[in-house]
Amino acid sequence: MGFAALGLMASGGCAHAQAPAAKVPAGTQAAKDCPDFLPAQTRCFAGQDANGAYYWIVIPKAWNGALVVHTHGGPRLKAPKPDDALEDLERFSVTVKEGFAWAGSNYRRAGYGVRSAAEDSDTLRQIFWDQFGRPKRTILHGQSWGGNVAAKTAELYGQGADGKPVYDGVILTSGVLGGGTRSYDFRADLRAVYQYYCQNHPRPDEPAYPLWQGQPVGSTLTNKQLDERLEACTGVNLPKAQRTAVQQRNLDNILAVVRIPERTLDSHLGWATFTFADMVNKRLDGHNPFGNVGVVYTGSDDDAALNKGVARFAADPEGVRRLAFDADLSGKLTVPTLTMHAIDDPTAFVELEQVFHDTVAKAGAGDLLVQSFTDEHEHSKLATPEYAALLRAMSAWIEQGEKPSPASLAAGCQQAVAIYGEACHFRVDYQVRPLAERSYPR
């Protein structure tokens, strides 16, 4: 059966499931006015689960009977607020326009914690099932760091007490799919290399601390202050003609050695500061999961001096163990899994897809994985018709056993262009390179 016959689009002429009446426990959930970016007569609900996680649930009038549980990226370091989920709901409103119900949790706490976020996401799935009945399909969609969360949710909660699958499919977009112990080494390298050239994070007049810590407990450094230090050292936000020779040299060396895009240097340094501090100080009890002993840094204008002078630190086995337990993936897929990743993703590098591929293959679950790639240069949101193609292809895979391919996803995307008005960018011939080719000899 082709995509057009699936009857998934809210504007289509096929019969749709009748949206059920909600069973609303007092004080936990309330009907809300839907934002205007959703289809007319959509119903919206917001609440807070027993662990304190805020959430939103959305059911379109022409509901196709399926639910998408969304796991958001980050991790966000600010305390969760009741309407945080609206940002992701707007970004991925194509889900609702395609006829799916949507549910997104803010997670119970700020900061890192894949297992905690996975528990909150599955709790929301249970809330939806309790309030509205079990949908005919339940699909996980994880974006960015939420890809790690969604994959972990499927691992931990994918099987019900009756031994049957709870989730019918998993979609991972722009995913941080290397797990905790493979996805962040380059940011630890960034801290070391940045400090070698810039000597201002920390400054000489500030107390020293191990760079893998991100920043020490009690630090009052702000994002704005960190940006000012980065700017002073590299002039990254200045036109090239306005940078000093020293700034340009520092910037060229940092980018060449750590191999990250100039446009996201500030973001990666922020993650290597504030997210690392949350991860190490609050989640790992001070244990270090990162190491650069033996790393040979290359690409600078003086590699010998860099490798002699750069700060070195060894990973604590307990830190590695704890991070692996929280965030590493087993690869033991049990339901159809689709991924989509921009080849030039400047935040979650595309090579993470190869790590995930190899993990899944080692677990013997390769038949349940289809990976796709696009020619885009973004991370947080790719072209809308591409997400529509993933949703339709996943439905066909679940319901008719029609396993998609990169070529069929590209064709399905073209069918969605007439509705969403954006171009498709799928690359059907792309072969992702291993993460080691982008990293450094170890």
Side-chain angles (χ1 to χ4, degrees):
M1 182 181 294
F3 290 127
L6 290 177
L8 297 180
M9 291 177 287
S11 59
C14 298
H16 298 277
Q18 179 65 37
K23 303 173 185 176
V24 183
T28 61
Q29 181 174 286
K32 302 283 286 187
D33 291 334
C34 291
D36 57 11
F37 55 76
L38 294 177
Q41 299 184 61
T42 297
R43 296 193 301 149
C44 295
F45 305 87
Q48 189 174 24
D49 71 21
N51 292 319
Y54 297 109
Y55 64 84
W56 269 70
I57 288 172
V58 174
I59 305 175
K61 179 184 179 183
W63 186 38
N64 64 19
L67 167 67
V68 171
V69 177
H70 177 78
T71 57
H72 72 70
R76 299 168 180 164
L77 299 183
K78 294 182 179 179
K81 295 181 291 187
D83 291 340
D84 283 347
L86 292 179
E87 177 185 348
D88 281 69
L89 176 58
E90 181 173 14
R91 186 178 297 145
F92 302 107
S93 59
V94 60
T95 306
V96 183
K97 294 171 184 175
E98 286 286 304
F100 293 81
W102 185 95
S105 171
N106 294 350
Y107 314 145
R108 74 188 70 175
R109 69 185 189 201
Y112 202 84
V114 173
R115 283 178 174 258
S116 174
E119 181 182 1
D120 293 338
S121 299
D122 190 64
T123 295
L124 179 54
R125 187 269 309 166
Q126 296 176 64
I127 289 171
F128 187 99
W129 284 21
D130 289 344
Q131 300 302 313
F132 304 101
R134 180 169 183 167
K136 68 176 183 179
R137 299 185 301 277
T138 301
I139 297 169
L140 278 164
H141 171 218
Q143 163 68 21
S144 186
W145 180 68
N148 195 168
V149 174
K152 181 63 76 171
T153 303
E155 284 187 8
L156 297 177
Y157 304 104
Q159 189 176 65
D162 58 2
K164 296 180 180 179
V166 168
Y167 297 98
D168 301 288
V170 180
I171 298 174
L172 309 171
T173 56
S174 307
V176 180
L177 300 178
T181 60
R182 294 291 303 279
S183 297
Y184 303 104
D185 280 350
F186 78 97
R187 288 179 181 150
D189 290 327
L190 173 59
R191 282 305 309 270
V193 172
Y194 176 88
Q195 185 66 2
Y196 173 80
Y197 287 108
C198 298
Q199 293 296 310
N200 68 4
H201 188 30
R203 292 190 302 243
D205 61 346
E206 294 175 321
Y209 60 86
L211 299 179
W212 49 262
Q213 190 179 14
Q215 57 180 345
V217 176
S219 171
T220 59
L221 183 74
T222 65
N223 276 291
K224 183 176 183 295
Q225 290 169 336
L226 179 59
D227 286 344
E228 290 170 349
R229 297 185 187 201
L230 174 63
E231 189 70 15
C233 178
T234 68
V236 65
N237 293 314
L238 295 173
K240 188 172 182 178
Q242 295 181 21
R243 296 171 188 153
T244 68
V246 172
Q247 286 176 326
Q248 189 63 59
R249 173 180 177 268
N250 290 339
L251 180 61
D252 289 344
N253 280 321
I254 292 167
L255 296 179
V257 172
V258 186
R259 306 176 197 180
I260 59 178
E262 181 177 320
R263 60 195 167 115
T264 51
L265 173 58
D266 57 346
S267 298
H268 288 302
L269 187 60
W271 278 309
T273 301
F274 304 109
T275 303
F276 274 22
D278 176 88
M279 182 187 296
V280 172
N281 298 331
K282 296 182 179 180
R283 313 303 172 203
L284 301 179
D285 293 330
H287 294 283
N288 172 26
F290 308 115
N292 71 342
V293 174
V295 173
V296 180
Y297 294 111
T298 61
S300 74
D301 58 6
D302 190 340
D303 289 345
L306 169 62
N307 282 286
K308 182 179 179 181
V310 73
R312 300 288 181 176
F313 39 86
D316 175 351
E318 179 63 13
V320 175
R321 186 195 68 79
R322 291 189 184 201
L323 184 56
F325 174 76
D326 183 69
D328 279 5
L329 300 172
S330 71
K332 297 177 181 178
L333 307 182
T334 58
V335 295
T337 302
L338 280 173
T339 76
M340 178 173 70
H341 218 117
I343 295 168
D344 190 31
D345 187 324
T347 299
F349 301 137
V350 71
E351 288 84 357
L352 294 172
E353 292 283 343
Q354 186 66 46
V355 177
F356 189 58
H357 172 277
D358 293 346
T359 302
V360 171
K362 185 176 180 180
D367 286 346
L368 289 171
L369 176 64
V370 173
Q371 294 173 286
S372 63
F373 303 93
T374 78
D375 269 332
E376 291 157 291
H377 310 280
E378 306 300 329
H379 171 71
S380 297
K381 170 68 167 60
L382 305 183
T384 300
E386 295 164 0
Y387 297 96
L390 293 175
L391 290 165
R392 299 179 194 183
M394 178 58 74
S395 298
W397 194 359
I398 294 168
E399 295 184 355
Q400 285 82 42
E402 296 177 4
K403 184 178 180 179
S405 67
S408 69
L409 287 170
C413 185
Q414 290 297 331
Q415 293 182 14
V417 166
I419 298 171
Y420 298 106
E422 298 178 42
C424 297
H425 304 274
F426 280 109
R427 274 275 300 273
V428 300
D429 59 343
Y430 180 72
Q431 296 293 320
V432 66
R433 60 180 179 263
L435 185 64
E437 291 184 14
R438 189 163 192 158
S439 190
Y440 325 105
R442 278 168 161 78

